[in-house]
Amino acid sequence: MPTTRVILLHGLWMPRLSMHWLAQRLREAGFAPEFFGYATVAGGPDTAIPRLAAHLQRAPAHLVAHSLGGLVSLTTLERHPSVPVERVVCLGSPLCGSAAATGLAGYAWTAPTLGRSASLLRKGCAPWSGKAEVGMVAGRTSLGLGKYFGRFQEENDGTVSVAETRLAGLTDHTVVSTSHTGLVYSRQVASLVAAFLRNGRFAS
């Protein structure tokens, strides 16, 4: 039986190897992970999306994406609905728009750090109605500088609030006790990702 191809997308300001530990755990679970790197600030979504679409056309695959990577993934599938992707797992992606990004954009000294990803981060994605099943793992351990720019009053992972991850149209959604960065290192999260890729649900 062929091994399932899984494309891993990193988040803002992160190198593609930030997904290394998650890739290793998915490999142990029987998947074939691949890294997709893109310039989050200098290039942004407009450069990444056509490249990702072309990469996905090569063979059927699942997507697993952290933070900004989730917005890039769903926008790619929205613009290129024919790509053969069955399931997507987003990790702490502010699919409803990021208050932290809006806060960063409000200061002359921090706005440039968002680069060409600013617009997508601030506005988020439209409610999901595509053919792929989409799951979300959100964090609720508030560790990170983003909370000071987002000024969250509700559960958050230090960068993204849980409410910002609850896009209409998701197949499944779960919340775990970890920070935004911790989502890509957590063994629990890796197990949840593997379960969704196999079954389309985080729990049986």
Side-chain angles (χ1 to χ4, degrees):
M1 181 177 178
T3 305
T4 305
R5 181 174 175 238
V6 180
I7 312 301
L8 302 177
L9 279 79
H10 56 85
L12 183 69
W13 308 323
M14 303 292 284
R16 66 179 189 169
L17 288 180
S18 64
M19 306 294 280
H20 169 76
W21 292 109
L22 179 56
Q24 182 173 319
R25 286 164 178 158
L26 290 177
R27 192 175 294 112
E28 291 168 357
F31 297 96
E34 302 175 15
F35 299 107
F36 180 85
Y38 62 106
T40 63
V41 176
D46 287 342
T47 299
I49 286 168
R51 285 184 51 237
L52 179 58
H55 190 70
L56 291 171
Q57 289 288 6
R58 298 177 188 174
H62 298 313
L63 288 170
V64 177
H66 182 229
S67 197
L68 171 64
L71 285 87
V72 170
S73 296
L74 292 198
T75 304
T76 299
L77 299 187
E78 183 180 50
R79 295 183 185 178
H80 303 271
S82 66
V83 295
V85 172
E86 182 180 359
R87 292 184 177 129
V88 182
V89 182
C90 297
L91 307 177
S93 298
L95 299 181
C96 299
S98 168
T102 298
L104 284 165
Y107 298 94
W109 57 282
T110 54
T113 65
L114 298 173
R116 295 181 175 176
S117 294
S119 177
L120 183 57
L121 281 167
R122 294 179 69 183
K123 74 178 182 181
C125 298
W128 181 244
S129 60
K131 62 183 180 181
E133 296 177 324
V134 181
M136 172 70 72
V137 182
R140 61 181 166 218
T141 301
S142 186
L143 293 174
L145 293 176
K147 64 182 179 180
Y148 298 110
F149 292 96
R151 300 180 180 179
F152 304 123
Q153 301 298 317
E154 64 276 356
E155 279 192 323
N156 66 87
D157 64 11
T159 301
V160 175
S161 74
V162 172
E164 290 171 341
T165 67
R166 293 189 184 279
L167 186 71
L170 296 181
T171 303
D172 203 356
H173 186 287
T174 191
V175 183
V176 298
S177 295
T178 190
S179 67
H180 191 68
T181 301
L183 287 163
V184 297
Y185 298 109
S186 165
R187 187 173 294 277
Q188 178 192 10
V189 170
S191 295
L192 289 167
V193 170
F196 188 90
L197 295 182
R198 290 192 189 101
N199 308 313
R201 290 291 186 278
F202 291 118
S204 58

